[in-house]
Amino acid sequence: MGEQDVIDLLVAQHGQIRDLFDEVEQAPPDKLEEAFDRLTRMLSVHETAEEEIVHPYARRKLDNGQGVVGDRLTEENRAKQLLLELHKGGVDHPQFWERLGELRTAVTMHARSEERYEFAKLRANTSTVERRAMAAAVRAAESLAPLRPHPGTESATKNMLMGTPIALMERAREMIRKGLGKHT
């Protein structure tokens, strides 16, 4: 795993995200909140790592990198807004399933755009060593990423300034709740 290519890592995570959407959609009522929490975490951590590591690199390395990344950040912000609305409303909200469908569509389209317009160009314009180093950096960023969506932090700088402290608070809160036997 330590020698993994960042593109392969992120595409595999896109597959895991699709599987988590399936898991939420198929979850029995008593397991729905837990499944949705797993999806929320994966999306939040994945996007934060892309925003901190992959997008800044793509901006510098790709022709029209600014435009390619700008489009992805717009998509990410929309998905974060939807995820935040879902999270705030909870799984019992009357529009949960409709909004989940909107989120799945937005996330799926975003992943396809990343793979086609950003990742394919990154693979063509970076070395194996660069992609392996980025994979290690993505895993490190994921370990410090917030567990919930925070729209408006779609840049490496904002993620570093706001994301890491938020992540530490969220992870501490989660450990306390688990210690008290409560769900997050």
Side-chain angles (χ1 to χ4, degrees), residues 99-162:
R99 288 181 177 164
L100 184 70
E102 290 175 36
L103 177 65
R104 185 175 193 147
T105 299
V107 168
T108 300
M109 290 173 53
H110 169 67
R112 284 185 190 143
S113 294
E114 275 184 336
E115 291 172 14
R116 179 178 297 141
Y117 301 114
E118 186 174 7
F119 296 173
K121 291 178 181 179
L122 268 175
R123 190 182 302 276
N125 290 285
T126 55
S127 69
T128 301
V129 171
E130 286 173 294
R131 291 191 307 276
R132 286 180 180 169
M134 279 196 297
V138 162
R139 283 192 293 278
E142 287 174 342
S143 72
L144 295 173
L147 304 175
R148 300 282 178 255
H150 297 280
T153 59
E154 290 82 24
S155 75
T157 303
K158 287 182 182 176
N159 272 317
M160 296 303 282
L161 290 174
M162 296 167 37

